[in-house]
Amino acid sequence: MPCTTLLVGKRASYDGSTMIARNDDSGAGHYTPKKFAVVTPDAQPRHYRSVLSHVEIDLPYNPMRYTCVPNALAGEGIWAAAGVNAANVAMTATETITSNERVLGADPLVHYLSADASPDGIEKPGGIGEEDFVTLVLPYITSAREGVMRLGALLEQFGTYEMNGVAFSDADEIWWMETIGGHHWIARRVPDDRYVVMPNQLGIDQFDLEDAFGEQRDFLCSSDLRTFIADHHLNLSFDDSLNPREAFGSHDDADHVYNTPRAWFIGRYFNPTTYIWDGPDADFTPEADDIPWSFVPERKITPEDVKYVLSSHYQGTPYDPYGSYGEDNRRGAYRSIGVNRNDFLAMLQIRPDMPAHARALQWLCFASNPFNAWIPLYTQIDTVPAFLATTGEHTSTDSFYWCSRLIAALADAGYQNCLNHIEHYQQAVQSKGQAMLAHYDPLLKQSDPSEAQALCEEANAAVTDALEKLCHNTLDLVLFETSNLMKNAYARSDA
């Protein structure tokens, strides 16, 4: 799946929280309806069978409750995507990343083979992948580091059929994990004062094998990675350093259109004066292969910043597909972060200054990010408002997912006429979200833990009610604008 991930360390964020965020995007030519859900321990499977790969795995008998953003329709599996568990550990999975032929030849991906396709006529299960990761890991971990270790053990045992990046966070740490071939993996702790941008490429650009096989303070990896690298001559450095991006990643021409420009835009936004981003003397261009994996931002990063950059379409540059300036052949030259096939955006925020029963927030919106708006939701809950949870197969204004899809389809077709309505909608919804936090956070700080869940669910219901009204009002406005555009177009054609 094409996605974009942003990770913000606790000393880089506005309030000392860790923040991990990811767009989940459909493949070209279709949408994947999503919903917000809570999985209670009694609903968690004890024996898991993947729909896509048919791999079967026995799961522990002590799962925790967790939130997630699964597929709304049956057929291709759960795809739980992003959530927070009862221990306030967050996980988002996955960012599809890239590799090269040397890696894939040395450790092939583990693909499912049906009995008909198998040489001996026996079905061969595949490995685990994006469909499975959150369900297999999030209910069982009490720290971000534990998340890396549990998923790493599963990858080494069962393998994977795709290249993936996965983020874990708790109140203190963020870890970023990348798979390498079928069974290998690396992970790096995000420095507290930095942010990381991941745009569908293997991204870690420096790895300390001594630490990974020693103290494991900032680096972790599969148990035989050092031997794997040596046996297959994967390290391309002339010294003893290891650049995983060079060793395990790709440098395809397509990366320069599809991937690197997204990292360039976000770096340009958060570090506008640290580097030169434009012109013949630029330190980094949209097609640069050496854009750093992490940056120290020039100011603290807010949720509003995260929403803006993960909704972006190269505003303020010659590459904006909606721009009315610059050369025609440059507009839309690069793949935008905010596209029509965004399915959801979730940011998982773990706040150290809040009590455990209200420490985590899951910011959530659906459909195309340039035209949607998100709300914060407390995660220590058992129930979810219907507007977020009841996404059906068919378009309906009773669903946040489909209502957001309708707004995006209409506003995209009439961008200039609808832009003002969209900006007002986004500001109004996000202001309601901040007002909800300003009201309920103090109450939750003072509340008894036994009363906290009811307060969290009350808060989520209140902010969702406000969202639903604003969403429907905005849909009315953009429908009116688009209808006028169509009427005027018909009038001109008749003339």
Side-chain angles (χ1 to χ4, degrees):
M1 291 290 183
C3 309
T4 308
T5 296
L6 178 64
L7 316 173
V8 182
K10 62 186 179 182
R11 285 169 50 204
S13 72
Y14 73 116
D15 66 345
S17 61
T18 57
M19 299 190 294
I20 62 174
R22 181 174 64 89
N23 289 345
D24 182 276
D25 303 341
S26 294
H30 71 280
Y31 298 137
T32 303
K34 305 290 285 189
K35 63 182 180 180
F36 184 50
V38 177
V39 180
T40 53
D42 60 294
Q44 174 71 2
R46 299 306 192 268
H47 180 79
Y48 181 82
R49 177 180 168 88
S50 173
V51 172
L52 295 185
S53 72
H54 295 201
V55 66
E56 299 191 43
I57 301 173
D58 288 325
L59 296 177
Y61 278 80
N62 59 338
M64 284 181 274
R65 177 185 60 193
Y66 62 101
T67 61
C68 58
V69 193
N71 285 3
L73 307 179
E76 292 190 347
I78 298 172
W79 297 78
V84 182
N85 69 19
N88 290 310
V89 179
M91 177 182 182
T92 180
T94 70
E95 179 80 22
T96 303
I97 60 175
T98 53
S99 189
N100 61 61
E101 296 84 350
R102 298 182 308 280
V103 168
L104 297 176
D107 182 13
L109 298 174
V110 184
H111 293 294
Y112 166 72
L113 281 178
S114 67
D116 291 341
S118 178
D120 57 8
I122 300 173
E123 180 185 69
K124 302 292 193 302
I128 57 175
E130 183 171 354
E131 175 197 347
D132 320 300
F133 284 171
V134 171
T135 302
L136 297 178
V137 175
L138 186 57
Y140 311 104
I141 57 176
T142 60
S143 71
R145 183 184 291 261
E146 277 187 25
V148 174
M149 299 306 294
R150 174 167 173 78
L151 181 53
L154 291 169
L155 288 166
E156 291 182 51
Q157 180 178 358
F158 296 101
T160 183
Y161 52 83
E162 59 191 357
M163 292 285 296
N164 284 310
V166 182
F168 298 93
S169 65
D170 52 40
D172 192 49
E173 293 186 330
I174 299 173
W175 282 84
W176 176 250
M177 181 180 192
E178 297 179 329
T179 64
I180 302 166
H183 301 84
H184 294 84
W185 57 272
I186 56 174
R188 183 175 178 183
R189 190 177 71 83
V190 175
D192 294 338
D193 61 344
R194 289 177 171 262
Y195 70 92
V196 169
V197 185
M198 288 301 309
N200 291 132
Q201 281 184 290
L202 193 144
I204 296 175
D205 55 7
Q206 188 271 325
F207 195 84
D208 187 343
L209 285 169
E210 294 303 318
D211 181 65
F213 284 95
E215 187 179 355
Q216 298 184 332
R217 183 177 182 276
D218 297 306
F219 299 87
L220 297 166
C221 67
S222 46
S223 57
D224 66 340
L225 185 69
R226 180 176 270 153
T227 303
F228 176 68
I229 293 169
D231 288 349
H232 299 282
H233 311 288
L234 296 175
N235 192 349
L236 303 183
S237 300
F238 283 109
D239 54 25
D240 291 332
S241 65
L242 174 63
N243 181 337
R245 192 182 297 179
E246 297 287 349
F248 312 129
S250 67
H251 296 286
D252 297 336
D253 293 339
D255 288 331
H256 299 149
V257 173
Y258 201 81
N259 296 325
T260 57
R262 287 181 274 158
W264 170 84
F265 181 84
I266 294 180
R268 185 178 183 270
Y269 177 84
F270 287 125
N271 289 84
T273 65
T274 311
Y275 303 97
I276 300 171
W277 301 94
D278 301 287
D281 298 322
D283 296 303
F284 304 110
T285 71
E287 300 183 13
D289 286 320
D290 59 347
I291 298 173
W293 178 71
S294 68
F295 294 93
V296 177
E298 293 180 14
R299 60 169 177 81
K300 295 178 181 179
I301 297 173
T302 69
E304 291 74 27
D305 291 321
V306 174
K307 176 65 172 72
Y308 179 82
V309 296
L310 290 181
S311 304
S312 60
H313 42 87
Y314 303 109
Q315 301 95 308
T317 79
Y319 314 114
D320 184 356
Y322 298 110
S324 57
Y325 46 83
E327 302 171 16
D328 289 346
N329 64 350
R330 302 181 80 187
R331 288 197 297 272
Y334 300 123
R335 194 269 199 192
S336 297
I337 296 171
V339 292
N340 66 341
R341 64 181 187 275
N342 298 139
D343 281 325
F344 75 83
L345 165 56
M347 184 181 80
L348 312 172
Q349 181 180 7
I350 314 298
R351 307 177 297 168
D353 62 333
M354 290 295 293
H357 53 254
R359 185 163 297 158
L361 295 173
Q362 184 153 350
W363 298 74
L364 185 66
C365 55
F366 294 120
S368 181
N369 291 336
F371 307 105
N372 64 17
W374 70 2
I375 54 172
L377 298 159
Y378 294 105
T379 63
Q380 301 302 336
I381 55 174
D382 279 341
T383 62
V384 172
F387 191 54
L388 310 178
T390 54
T391 305
E393 181 178 1
H394 302 294
T395 305
S396 167
T397 57
D398 294 331
S399 156
F400 184 35
Y401 178 88
W402 285 117
C403 198
S404 298
R405 277 269 172 248
L406 288 168
I407 290 172
L410 293 165
D412 181 69
Y415 182 80
Q416 297 300 333
N417 294 69
C418 295
L419 181 58
N420 192 49
H421 298 310
I422 295 300
E423 289 177 346
H424 285 158
Y425 168 56
Q426 292 171 335
Q427 185 175 57
V429 170
Q430 287 157 207
S431 296
K432 290 288 186 183
Q434 291 291 354
M436 182 272 280
L437 296 176
H439 177 73
Y440 281 97
D441 274 357
L443 297 178
L444 286 161
K445 282 183 177 180
Q446 298 167 8
S447 69
D448 186 273
S450 63
E451 303 168 346
Q453 181 175 316
L455 264 179
C456 289
E457 291 177 352
E458 178 186 311
N460 288 354
V463 75
T464 303
D465 286 345
L467 165 71
E468 187 169 2
K469 292 180 178 69
L470 289 164
C471 189
H472 287 152
N473 182 59
T474 303
L475 180 56
D476 290 343
L477 292 169
V478 298
L479 179 60
F480 176 80
E481 293 287 0
T482 308
S483 297
N484 273 348
L485 283 173
M486 293 174 66
K487 182 176 68 175
N488 293 337
Y490 288 141
R492 287 194 298 272
S493 66
D494 288 343

